[in-house]
Amino acid sequence: MTDPISLALVGVGKIARDQHIPSIAGNDAFRLEAAVSRHGRVDDVENFTDFDEFLKARPDVKAVSLCTPPEVRFDMAVKAIEAGRHVLLEKPPAATIGEAEALSALARTRGVTLFATWHSRFAVCVAPATTWLAGKALQSIEIIWKEDVRRWHPGQDWIWEAGGFGVFDPGINALSILTALLSEPVIVRSAKLEIPENRRQPIAASLAMRTPSGLPMTADFDWRQEGPQTWDITVKTDGGTLTLSKGGSEMYIDGQPQQTDTDREYAGIYARFAELVHAGQSDADFQPLRVVADAFLCGETIKTDAFHE
């Protein structure tokens, strides 16, 4: 039997507590040995406030899961890779395409695993949806991804700063599913970015996209939706209409339910990470990040009302 992979959790915030810690605990392939955070702590493991100190003190820890905000993640990832540690990157994997590609190249050079995670790709209905779409002629795709930022990101000011992504922080989840469903790249034709007058990142965005073969796609992202939340992707084909709802946890064909299950996205992430480490491989797909970058490059900026928590 293979010994568990010793792991450190870096960044002990809401997503780490809600998703990473329970998923690590539920996977026998890993043993959580340490945590690194300026403000948070994890019970029953060694805790550090400084990442460099952790790397020096715990050379026995073979892998790190980086759950910090993207704008500070690059330097930590570089240090971890150069120290010979396998690296899991929370989404989005980096603040820029340049950072992401540099990390991928460095991991190849150092011979360690780099896993750029997209948790929504592990939603229970994404794989069945991909199977159902195989062989069908796609006619159009519509994404509607609207949620309440106050509910999901309370007090997280970093999301509104440069490198924080704004509404693309959840929107990139939809784009990760989209790019998993398609065999062609996604091209952004135009975008409108609504930015509150007191913020630096968009609170809403609409994208018009296409594939090289001409498949039309649209995406509507909004962080101002109260009440029921909407995470839907609708794909019209010559064989019917497929809808993924609730972020990929429900699947419908022509309005008829096909499959639903509880959320196990992060459990899937850690199962995949263990598989990659044992195989000596990496999984670093940056397509969703590129779509977001292209939206910023060609997007029309629209000032909107100030946002206050």
Side-chain angles (χ1 to χ4, degrees):
M1 182 176 177
T2 305
D3 291 335
I5 301 164
S6 54
L7 178 74
L9 185 65
V10 184
V12 184
K14 178 175 172 55
I15 194 66
R17 295 195 182 280
D18 290 351
Q19 299 290 351
H20 287 266
I21 293 174
S23 297
I24 295 166
N27 190 323
D28 291 339
F30 293 98
R31 182 177 62 250
L32 187 60
E33 292 276 359
V36 185
S37 176
R38 290 180 298 173
H39 307 293
R41 291 180 60 85
V42 177
D43 294 338
D44 302 320
V45 303
E46 188 172 7
N47 285 269
F48 297 85
T49 58
D50 182 81
F51 188 66
D52 292 342
E53 179 186 348
F54 152 71
L55 289 175
K56 182 178 179 179
R58 295 299 304 268
D60 58 305
V61 175
K62 302 303 180 185
V64 297
S65 183
L66 295 181
C67 305
T68 61
E71 70 268 21
V72 300
R73 199 177 297 152
F74 176 74
D75 289 340
M76 289 181 172
V78 167
K79 291 175 181 178
I81 292 170
E82 290 184 336
R85 318 298 173 95
H86 306 295
V87 175
L88 180 152
L89 299 169
E90 240 297 359
K91 67 87 190 172
T96 67
I97 292 289
E99 287 184 354
E101 291 180 344
L103 292 178
S104 182
L106 183 60
R108 286 195 301 270
T109 300
R110 297 294 184 178
V112 299
T113 293
L114 179 70
F115 183 24
T117 67
W118 302 106
H119 64 79
S120 290
R121 288 182 175 178
F122 292 87
V124 66
C125 293
V126 173
T130 304
T131 299
W132 187 85
L133 290 171
K136 295 180 174 63
L138 307 189
Q139 298 170 343
S140 66
I141 300 179
E142 178 187 45
I143 297 170
I144 300 178
W145 216 261
K146 299 182 178 182
E147 61 181 55
D148 184 355
V149 64
R150 292 182 176 92
R151 183 190 305 187
W152 301 104
H153 294 275
Q156 297 182 23
D157 288 338
W158 64 267
I159 58 177
W160 298 108
E161 298 300 326
F165 285 70
V167 75
F168 285 108
D169 182 80
I172 205 169
N173 296 334
L175 297 173
S176 72
I177 296 175
L178 176 67
T179 51
L181 295 177
L182 296 174
S183 59
E184 293 185 275
V186 173
I187 299 169
V188 179
R189 298 178 61 200
S190 64
K192 293 183 178 180
L193 312 178
E194 294 186 47
I195 301 178
E197 60 183 21
N198 62 334
R199 304 289 179 171
R200 300 178 66 185
Q201 295 293 335
I203 196 169
S206 58
L207 278 61
M209 303 169 286
R210 56 165 287 179
T211 63
S213 64
L215 173 68
M217 299 170 285
T218 60
D220 187 5
F221 305 131
D222 203 315
W223 246 351
R224 299 167 294 196
Q225 178 154 301
E226 300 177 356
Q229 310 286 273
T230 304
W231 301 294
D232 293 342
I233 300 176
T234 301
V235 186
K236 292 183 178 180
T237 80
D238 63 346
T241 298
L242 177 146
T243 302
L244 287 173
S245 290
K246 296 185 179 179
S249 64
E250 294 181 358
M251 174 176 164
Y252 300 84
I253 303 298
D254 294 328
Q256 298 301 309
Q258 304 295 307
Q259 185 171 340
T260 184
D261 206 343
T262 55
D263 172 22
R264 287 186 52 80
E265 295 176 11
Y266 280 82
I269 281 176
Y270 279 95
R272 176 62 171 156
F273 190 33
E275 179 183 90
L276 291 168
V277 170
H278 289 310
Q281 299 175 349
S282 289
D283 182 350
D285 176 15
F286 304 128
Q287 292 183 84
L289 182 62
R290 180 184 53 76
V291 175
V292 172
D294 287 351
F296 276 105
L297 278 171
C298 69
E300 173 189 357
T301 298
I302 302 170
K303 285 296 182 180
T304 190
D305 295 340
F307 173 82
H308 302 284
E309 283 204 59

